[in-house]
Amino acid sequence: MNEQLNDPFWGTLPILISVAIALCSVPSSAVAQTRGARHTFDLIAWNGGQFIYGVDYYPEAWNETQWEKDAANMQAAGINFVRLGEFAWAKMEPSEGQYHFGWLDRALQILSAYGIKAVLGTPTASPPAWLMAKYPDIAAMNEDGVRYRYGSRRNYCLHNPHFLAAVKAIVTAEAEHFKNNPAVLGWQIDNEVGGPYCYDSYCLTAFQNWCRAKYQTLDALNQAWGTIFWGHTYSAWSQIPLPWNTLYSVHNPGLELDYHRFFSDATRDFVNFQAQILRQVAPQKAITTNEMGLFDDIDYSRLNTLLDFVAWDNYPMIFNPDYQDYFRSALGHDLMRGSKDQQNFMVMEQEGGVPGWTAFWGKQAPAALFRVWAYQAIAHGADGVCYFRWRTSRFGTEQYWQGILDQDGYLNARYQVIARMGKEVKRLAPLLQGSHTNSQVALLVSPDTRWAFHIQPTSKNFDYYRQFYLYYDAARRLGLNVDVIFPQMDFAGYRVIVAPSLFVVSQPLIQKLTQFVGSGGTLILTYRSGVKDDHNEVTLETLPGPLARLAGVLIHDFDPQVAQKQEIVEHDGSRYPADVWYDILTPTTARTLATYGERYYAGKPAITENSFEKGNVFYVGAQPSSTEFYDRFMKHVFDKAGVATRPALPNGIELATREKAGEKIFFLMNYTNRDQSVNLGETTHNALTGASESTVVRVPAYGVQVLTAR
Ligand code: GAL
């Protein structure tokens, strides 16, 4: 963010002050009064008391005579919301300064007549051809110094002054035009911000300015990055390079980590640049942008303090060929909710058919699953689900990315399923409104750590998120909700925090973790924790460095090799395979829970448990690879921490809960093709029929149960 202080386009202090003023002056009751705090935006109130049930709609791509029929079919399916216009810059401004919004007025009028409200995209993800022809350097430059050619989308340089001027003009014009239109509820800024990395001189200068704002002096920067290594000491700010790949060998890890932070900040500034205009011109409308779950170029937790609510794009069919890996999208929902302090969110693009671009990327899913996936979003805190897209495109790159309807517009099986759900969410809205997820267990995600592992994965098979899945899935199989939290957030209220491979640790984070454990919390740390400081420099302390006292262990030897078989052996002789990395632990105050089974360190501690003040710290020195290990280990952890678990859920069944004022809402999702039963251990009411249910609830094949209990 600070790099803009010295950028001629951005001007100086007055703009920053007006941003601050704009951010503090959002009136409407539904719109957040304070940002960053829990539950400050009520999406259902914002949509007039209705659950947001929507589709992404591209009227510009269809004949106007079709619009009314589309709106009628949407209304018949219970659709009350659309997202429009996020790629329509060329249609909104066909030539410089000539604005054409009449088509969008007409579309909004028709949709509105059918009870459908809209979020409008600012169209900046796809700059028009005339603009890029006039200013070819708007296109981002790749690491080899080559500018991208016109075409595709998301191809702009975030710091290009011509681009920013054009963005300012179109966003201002759009906001002015629609500010009093009651059919427009708010804005989606750009589309899936976060790329591409650009290596041109605008970005180089911006990075150098960002470094200067952060370090103030070159001495401080040289010290922080350890530039004495290979004699990279900088004697002028203008010598600082971008981490382009046209160099021999690799870059300094300190420089690279700061570059990731810079890029994330620059993206946030770009969103803020638009948010500032929108808030000034149309302060009564809400602001969001569509994000991408586990996408890791951006620290969403910092970006999202700018937004009224989080929205994200959820495609459970991608990378999930048999559709049984249902915890992947579950974790995406939890991470997105956590990125704005657990506030309810919406899905701006929810899977509506088979994905694909030049080819289809999966097999067709049974239509019923599209309803189950949408309920999964609700179960994790979504107050809105908007399907991508209403109808598959006839042209362009996404002819194979299925919408609800195919190109022929036939009201197919997916439409019927979605229409059924439309009736249900209408009934459920009063129950859902004001209800939130609640959890005693959290996973700590560290953007700095994530980036540092991108720069130095440290071991061939290392995957930061893999451990998240392993611990997350085990907690979820035991019927627990899990929050995802970020380092700057509040840790109070959790009983168990799992912090996989906490590689980069800052002093404030160490203090927070110490306070959390000291006051009775349980912390799980895993291998490669406490290795690096804020600047991506290795600690001088014996590992796990500043976390050693909490963990009650020291690491004098480790084995990063990947090909060798290794096993974890528990006290009762149970053996579990493990891979990726092996920390050989020397307990100081900790007790040994498991040892290694192979190699020269067989019998040496692999997993320990340490009492620290009122709390407990587990250290897992390796990455066990079997689910049996995690089921058993996490059960042990939860029992000790006083977190009540349920008997393991049947395979293919997910349970998640929301709560409000003494009422608990259970969501049971069945992702399998057979009916299954779950013993909830208490009697409930079916939220859709009102019927009482016995403790054992039947969940139909590819079905859902929504139940309440007081
Ligand atoms: C999303 C994107 C949409 C559309 C969709 C299918 O990531 O936001 O605009 O492209 O993927 O490819």
Side-chain angles (χ1 to χ4, degrees):
M1 79 203 59
N2 296 330
E3 77 277 17
Q4 289 162 355
L5 286 173
N6 297 311
D7 186 307
F9 179 82
W10 288 79
T12 48
L13 215 50
I15 287 191
L16 296 178
I17 292 170
S18 58
V19 175
I21 293 169
L23 288 178
C24 296
S25 61
V26 182
S28 145
S29 60
V31 174
Q33 300 301 318
T34 46
R35 281 165 228 298
R38 291 186 188 210
H39 314 322
T40 48
F41 188 92
D42 182 338
L43 280 125
I44 293 178
W46 177 61
N47 194 32
Q50 301 182 88
F51 179 86
I52 297 166
Y53 201 54
V55 291
D56 299 302
Y57 184 45
Y58 299 88
E60 67 272 28
W62 302 94
N63 196 306
E64 284 206 31
T65 55
Q66 175 67 31
W67 294 355
E68 180 132 18
K69 188 172 169 203
D70 283 340
N73 284 331
M74 288 177 199
Q75 188 188 47
I79 299 298
N80 56 40
F81 176 95
V82 284
R83 180 196 60 185
L84 304 172
E86 79 279 10
F87 296 114
W89 191 342
K91 178 112 178 151
M92 294 178 185
E93 190 184 4
S95 58
E96 192 163 5
Q98 301 298 310
Y99 298 108
H100 289 202
F101 294 117
W103 63 276
L104 206 40
D105 290 335
R106 293 193 295 282
L108 284 164
Q109 201 176 2
I110 291 172
L111 290 160
S112 186
Y114 286 85
I116 298 166
K117 297 262 197 298
V119 150
L120 297 186
T122 67
T124 51
S126 190
W130 61 258
L131 180 65
M132 293 190 73
K134 185 167 178 190
Y135 303 111
D137 66 354
I138 284 179
M141 183 178 274
N142 75 12
E143 291 163 275
D144 301 323
V146 177
R147 284 215 186 268
Y148 295 113
R149 308 260 179 191
Y150 181 72
S152 190
R153 59 177 178 179
R154 303 219 47 73
N155 46 1
Y156 53 76
C157 162
L158 276 175
H159 298 98
N160 182 286
H162 304 297
F163 179 56
L164 293 172
V167 165
K168 186 174 180 188
I170 183 68
V171 173
T172 307
E174 190 182 359
E176 285 289 355
H177 186 88
F178 294 103
K179 67 182 177 194
N180 295 320
N181 189 331
V184 176
L185 292 177
W187 318 103
Q188 172 191 296
I189 292 177
D190 203 277
N191 190 83
E192 295 188 338
V193 290
Y197 288 104
C198 172
Y199 299 85
D200 70 6
S201 58
Y202 295 115
C203 291
L204 175 63
T205 307
F207 181 52
Q208 291 165 345
N209 288 339
W210 184 95
C211 290
R212 180 160 29 193
K214 175 167 180 175
Y215 292 106
Q216 310 285 321
T217 68
L218 281 165
D219 279 352
L221 176 138
N222 283 318
Q223 180 76 27
W225 291 357
T227 54
I228 193 63
F229 186 79
W230 285 349
H232 286 167
T233 307
Y234 299 107
S235 55
W237 295 103
S238 59
Q239 294 162 5
I240 294 169
L242 290 171
W244 35 58
N245 65 11
T246 39
L247 86 166
Y248 187 68
S249 177
V250 289
H251 281 284
N252 177 311
L255 177 151
E256 288 210 55
L257 179 55
D258 269 336
Y259 177 74
H260 278 284
R261 291 169 173 148
F262 154 77
F263 183 77
S264 183
D265 281 358
T267 304
R268 184 184 191 275
D269 286 337
F270 179 64
V271 171
N272 196 21
F273 178 60
Q274 297 199 31
Q276 173 197 4
I277 298 167
L278 296 169
R279 294 225 190 269
Q280 260 165 4
V281 178
Q284 71 283 11
K285 311 249 185 244
I287 296 179
T288 190
T289 186
N290 55 334
E291 302 179 347
M292 294 177 278
L294 273 60
F295 173 77
D296 46 17
D297 286 359
I298 307 295
D299 179 350
Y300 285 133
S301 70
R302 301 209 180 271
L303 175 65
N304 291 342
T305 58
L306 299 172
L307 308 176
D308 289 298
F309 62 88
V310 168
W312 82 288
D313 298 344
N314 175 37
Y315 291 101
M317 288 164 92
I318 299 190
F319 315 123
N320 185 8
D322 62 1
Y323 310 143
Q324 289 310 300
D325 211 356
Y326 44 92
F327 286 140
R328 297 295 66 79
S329 9
L331 179 60
H333 290 305
D334 291 336
L335 186 139
M336 290 277 62
R337 191 186 66 245
S339 68
K340 196 166 171 56
D341 211 4
Q342 313 308 331
Q343 180 178 289
N344 286 8
F345 59 94
M346 73 169 284
V347 179
M348 196 58 94
E349 295 180 17
Q350 170 73 26
E351 190 100 67
V354 183
W357 275 13
T358 49
F360 287 106
W361 292 346
K363 63 182 179 200
Q364 187 56 273
L369 261 181
F370 291 88
R371 172 173 168 266
V372 183
W373 285 321
Y375 268 109
Q376 178 185 41
I378 301 175
H380 286 265
D383 282 345
V385 171
C386 183
Y387 295 94
F388 186 87
R389 48 195 282 160
W390 169 242
R391 191 166 166 184
T392 318
S393 183
R394 287 189 62 205
F395 20 68
T397 308
E398 294 184 2
Q399 293 171 354
Y400 293 165
W401 197 293
Q402 243 183 351
I404 299 172
L405 307 183
D406 287 320
Q407 285 89 348
D408 66 357
Y410 175 71
L411 301 183
N412 58 23
R414 290 192 301 284
Y415 175 87
Q416 305 303 338
V417 164
I418 284 162
R420 170 184 170 193
M421 185 162 170
K423 294 198 180 71
E424 294 169 354
V425 290
K426 191 166 184 191
R427 242 173 293 156
L428 290 174
L431 174 69
L432 294 175
Q433 188 171 12
S435 71
H436 305 280
T437 62
N438 186 16
S439 175
Q440 299 183 311
V441 181
L443 279 174
L444 176 65
V445 65
S446 153
D448 280 348
T449 285
R450 209 168 54 180
W451 290 324
F453 278 129
H454 271 302
I455 300 161
Q456 296 172 307
T458 76
S459 158
K460 209 169 118 220
N461 288 344
F462 183 80
D463 172 356
Y464 181 55
Y465 276 129
R466 178 80 196 124
Q467 287 184 88
F468 279 74
Y469 299 148
L470 293 167
Y471 289 95
Y472 178 85
D473 293 5
R476 303 300 321 288
R477 282 193 293 272
L478 291 168
L480 297 173
N481 284 358
V482 175
D483 282 351
V484 176
I485 54 175
F486 289 72
Q488 73 275 24
M489 288 174 176
D490 192 359
F491 296 176
Y494 295 109
R495 283 181 188 241
V496 176
I497 293 179
V498 188
S501 294
L502 203 51
F503 194 48
V504 177
V505 279
S506 64
Q507 273 311 319
L509 179 57
I510 294 159
Q511 274 159 19
K512 281 178 79 173
L513 290 172
T514 307
Q515 149 121 44
F516 169 75
V517 178
S519 55
T522 295
L523 175 66
I524 300 178
L525 297 170
T526 75
Y527 65 96
R528 297 312 273 157
S529 287
V531 179
K532 300 277 199 138
D533 69 11
D534 247 356
H535 300 300
N536 214 3
E537 285 188 9
V538 177
T539 178
L540 288 176
E541 296 173 54
T542 300
L543 296 181
L547 297 166
R549 203 165 69 87
L550 269 183
V553 295
L554 292 172
I555 297 161
H556 298 298
D557 192 10
F558 51 71
D559 180 3
Q561 66 115 333
V562 290
Q564 178 83 30
K565 182 169 160 277
Q566 187 50 278
E567 281 184 330
I568 300 290
V569 186
E570 288 187 347
H571 284 322
D572 66 358
S574 313
R575 302 176 89 89
Y576 302 96
D579 50 32
V580 183
W581 187 276
Y582 315 115
D583 276 338
I584 301 152
L585 307 177
T586 302
T588 48
T589 53
R591 296 176 294 288
T592 300
L593 296 185
T595 54
Y596 289 106
E598 305 280 337
R599 301 205 67 213
Y600 67 92
Y601 48 93
K604 294 270 171 61
I607 302 177
T608 55
E609 177 180 358
N610 189 43
S611 308
F612 180 89
E613 296 175 10
K614 293 188 187 148
N616 242 336
V617 179
F618 292 86
Y619 191 97
V620 183
Q623 188 168 302
S625 49
S626 72
T627 51
E628 294 71 34
F629 167 82
Y630 292 93
D631 286 344
R632 198 166 140 160
F633 176 67
M634 293 304 276
K635 176 85 174 80
H636 169 75
V637 171
F638 292 137
D639 286 350
K640 281 213 88 167
V643 175
T645 55
R646 296 174 178 279
L649 290 160
N651 233 341
I653 292 280
E654 183 187 358
L655 166 68
T657 57
R658 287 171 65 153
E659 292 172 23
K660 72 175 189 187
E663 192 165 25
K664 198 156 185 178
I665 312 169
F666 296 89
F667 296 85
L668 283 166
M669 278 74 59
N670 183 351
Y671 301 93
T672 69
N673 63 0
R674 56 188 190 285
D675 294 2
Q676 301 214 54
S677 294
V678 178
N679 189 344
L680 282 181
E682 58 189 305
T683 53
T684 53
H685 282 89
N686 187 309
L688 285 166
T689 64
S692 22
E693 299 275 348
S694 71
T695 50
V696 178
V697 181
R698 191 184 135 272
V699 196
Y702 298 132
V704 174
Q705 292 282 16
V706 185
L707 309 153
T708 60
R710 281 205 173 268

